[in-house]
Amino acid sequence: MRSSRNLLRAGLAGLVAAVGLFTAGTAHAADTPLRDLAAAKGKLIGTAVTGSRLTGTYGDITGAQFSSLTPGNAMKWGTVEPTRGSFNWTEADQIVAFAQAHHQQVRGHTLVWHNQNPSWLTNGSWTSAQLGSLLQNHISTEVGRYKGEIAAWDVVNEPFNEDGSYRSTIWYDGLGSGYIANALTWAHAADPDAKLYINDYNVEGVNAKSDALYNLVRSLKAQGVPIGGVGLQAHLVLGQVPSTLQQNIQRFADLGVDVAITELDIRMQLPADVTKLAQQKADFHAVVAACAAVSRCVNVTAWGFTDADSWVPSTFPGYGAATPYDENYQPKPAYYGIATALGGSDGGGGSTPPPTGACTAAYSVSSQWNTGFTGQVTISCAGASLSSWKADWTFGAGQQITQAWNATCTQSGAAVSCANASYNGSVPDGGSVTFGFNGSWSGGNPVPTVTLG
C-alpha cells in the first residue's frame, strides 16, 4: 500500500498594423522555473492538481514549475470516505507519490468543510457526541495515514459568512464553534510536525470576514490551540485585487502564524483579449508580490495552472481564462506576472521597445478556403533594431490558429500572441523577418484588431 505509493513516483492582404515588440511571451527552456524563483525568495509556488492528469505535458509542467501540490479533490471527505469506515486513497496516494518523486511538498486539502461530504454523513441523524466522534476518527485516520508526508493541512475550510458570523454547517450546528479548536487539536495529535491552517475565501483584504478570521486565530493562539497558518484562497476577479492584501497578510503574520495564498485564480469575462490578459498579468504580479514582501507568507498556490483544468467556467458562467496557462498548456502573460514578482524575467530578457513606428508589422492572408486560411506577418524595422519580438492581435470572428511556423503562437479566446523562435529574434535596422500560420474560420474572416503588446 504505502510502498506502492513510493514507487509511483487573419484579414485583408497588405494590412499594416502596429504591434508590441519585446521579449517573447512563451516560456523558453532558458527561463528559470517558477519553483526556483520562489525558492530564491524563501517561498513555495504551488498548484492544485488532478491525479489522473499527472502524465504527459500536464505532468511535465507540474513537476518542472511547482514546488508544492494541493490535491484538488482527492483528499476531501466525499472522496476518501465515501462509505462510513471505508476509505479510498487511490488518487491521494498518486498525488503524494508524484510530489515525492519531484521533490515537492504537499498541502492536504481539506479535512473539515461543509461541501463535498458523503451522503451518509450529511443525511445522518447524529448526536453531538456521535458527530464529534466521526470527525475525530476521520481526521485522525487521514492525517495519520500521511504522517510525515504532508507539510501542511487545510484543516478547517470556510468557517465564516461574509459578515464575519459563523457559517451554519453540519459542524457548527452540531458541535458549536469549538469544532475548530477540536479539529486542529486532533490533527496535531495525528501529525505533530504538520503545519495546520484555517482556510477561507474573500478574506484577502481587510474586511468583516477577515476580521473575524483574525480574531479567531488570535483567540486560538491565546488558548494554546495548535494553529500554524492562515490560508487566503484568493479566488479573485480581474482588476479586483484588494488594496489591503499585503497589510492583511502582515497582520496575520504578526500573530505568529504563517500565511499562504492557497487557491489563486483570477477570472475574467470571456472572451479573453489582450487588454484583459495584460490586466490579469498585473493582478497575478500584485498578489505574488504582496506575499513575497512578507517573510511569513510562505506559499502561493494557483487553483490549477491551466485553463483546461479550471473550475471557473462551470461555476461562474461566462467567466474563465483564470489561470497562468491556457488550455493548450502555453504560458499566458499571467505566468510572467508571477515570474517577475519573484524576481524573474518578463519572457526571458526584458528588452526595451523601439521608438514608435520604427518597427512595424504587415499582416496578410496569402490564401483562404471554405473553412481555413493561411496568414503571415512580416516585421520590418527602420531606425531601430530588435533582439527579440512579440506580435499581439485580437481576432474579430472566432478565427483560430491551428499551426504556426517561424514563431511560437498562443491563443486564448480571440487574443493571439506570437513570439520569435529561438533563431529569428534578431531584426536589424533596415531588415525584416516573416512568420506564418494556418487558421480556421467560420462565417467570416475579417481583419483582426491589432494593439500594442
Side-chain angles (χ1 to χ4, degrees):
M1 180 178 65
R2 296 176 69 84
S3 60
S4 66
R5 182 164 76 253
N6 291 328
L7 292 174
L8 290 172
R9 288 268 193 232
L12 301 174
L15 175 69
V16 177
V19 295
L21 298 159
F22 49 91
T23 345
T26 54
H28 298 293
D31 289 336
T32 303
L34 295 179
R35 62 185 292 169
D36 293 345
L37 294 173
K41 296 283 189 180
K43 313 294 183 185
L44 296 167
I45 186 76
T47 182
V49 293
T50 301
S52 61
R53 302 183 67 140
L54 287 171
T55 60
T57 302
Y58 182 99
D60 291 344
I61 294 173
T62 300
Q65 292 289 340
F66 301 100
S67 49
S68 174
L69 301 185
T70 300
N73 291 298
M75 291 184 177
K76 292 173 180 173
W77 198 321
T79 302
V80 299
E81 195 181 359
T83 304
R84 184 178 181 181
S86 178
F87 291 85
N88 179 2
W89 307 108
T90 303
E91 186 186 2
D93 284 358
Q94 181 182 18
I95 293 169
V96 171
F98 183 96
Q100 291 172 346
H102 292 83
H103 308 290
Q104 297 163 312
Q105 289 191 9
V106 179
R107 289 188 61 87
H109 179 84
T110 178
L111 298 170
V112 189
W113 192 26
H114 61 277
N115 273 338
Q116 293 184 244
N117 290 315
S119 59
W120 68 263
L121 176 64
T122 57
N123 293 337
S125 297
W126 314 108
T127 66
S128 178
Q130 289 172 327
L131 191 60
S133 179
L134 288 170
L135 182 59
Q136 181 177 8
N137 179 70
H138 178 83
I139 292 173
S140 300
T141 301
E142 185 162 5
V143 177
R145 174 180 178 81
Y146 295 106
K147 181 179 180 180
E149 297 183 284
I150 291 187
W153 281 97
D154 292 328
V155 177
V156 177
N157 200 42
E158 302 174 2
F160 291 109
N161 294 313
E162 296 304 299
D163 63 359
S165 60
Y166 282 104
R167 182 193 293 269
S168 174
T169 69
I170 183 175
W171 310 116
Y172 179 78
D173 297 345
L175 301 172
S177 62
Y179 82 90
I180 298 174
N182 286 337
L184 291 162
T185 301
W186 295 330
H188 180 71
D191 188 350
D193 294 328
K195 189 78 71 168
L196 307 180
Y197 280 70
I198 300 174
N199 188 55
D200 215 327
Y201 65 92
N202 288 352
V203 291
E204 297 76 29
V206 176
N207 55 36
K209 192 173 187 179
S210 65
D211 284 349
L213 180 57
Y214 178 88
N215 291 330
L216 172 62
V217 172
R218 182 172 58 183
S219 174
L220 292 171
K221 290 283 289 184
Q223 297 170 53
V225 175
I227 172 71
V230 171
L232 314 180
Q233 291 186 12
H235 293 297
L236 303 175
V237 180
L238 190 72
Q240 297 183 24
V241 176
S243 60
T244 53
L245 174 58
Q246 184 176 327
Q247 172 191 343
N248 195 41
I249 294 172
Q250 186 65 63
R251 70 167 176 162
F252 280 107
D254 291 343
L255 288 177
V257 296
D258 289 347
V259 181
I261 306 296
T262 55
E263 304 181 24
L264 176 61
D265 51 30
I266 301 176
R267 62 188 181 270
M268 64 182 71
Q269 190 166 9
L270 298 174
D273 58 33
V274 170
T275 300
K276 293 175 185 176
L277 292 171
Q279 179 64 58
Q280 186 184 56
K281 175 183 179 180
D283 289 348
F284 268 92
H285 183 280
V287 173
V288 178
C291 179
V294 180
S295 60
R296 291 203 69 153
C297 188
V298 297
N299 185 320
V300 177
T301 289
W303 201 247
F305 68 87
T306 168
D307 293 343
D309 194 35
S310 173
W311 72 305
V312 168
S314 62
T315 307
F316 302 96
Y319 285 79
T323 77
Y325 284 74
D326 67 17
E327 293 183 350
N328 298 314
Y329 305 119
Q330 296 298 311
K332 293 152 58 178
Y335 172 94
Y336 290 100
I338 297 171
T340 54
L342 294 172
S345 64
D346 191 352
S351 59
T352 302
T356 302
C359 295
T360 60
Y363 179 107
S364 62
V365 176
S366 56
S367 63
Q368 181 172 307
W369 54 98
N370 56 347
T371 59
F373 69 98
T374 298
Q376 67 178 32
V377 174
T378 299
I379 297 171
S380 306
C381 290
S385 62
L386 297 171
S387 59
S388 59
W389 47 263
K390 184 165 75 76
D392 301 323
W393 68 86
T394 302
F395 279 130
Q399 301 99 317
Q400 183 74 37
I401 289 181
T402 57
Q403 181 186 16
W405 51 93
N406 297 332
T408 301
C409 293
T410 62
Q411 183 168 351
S412 181
V416 178
S417 181
C418 295
N420 62 273
S422 60
Y423 52 82
N424 65 353
S426 177
V427 184
D429 187 359
S432 64
V433 64
T434 297
F435 66 90
F437 48 89
N438 290 329
S440 61
W441 64 279
S442 177
N445 188 17
V447 174
T449 300
V450 181
T451 63
L452 289 173

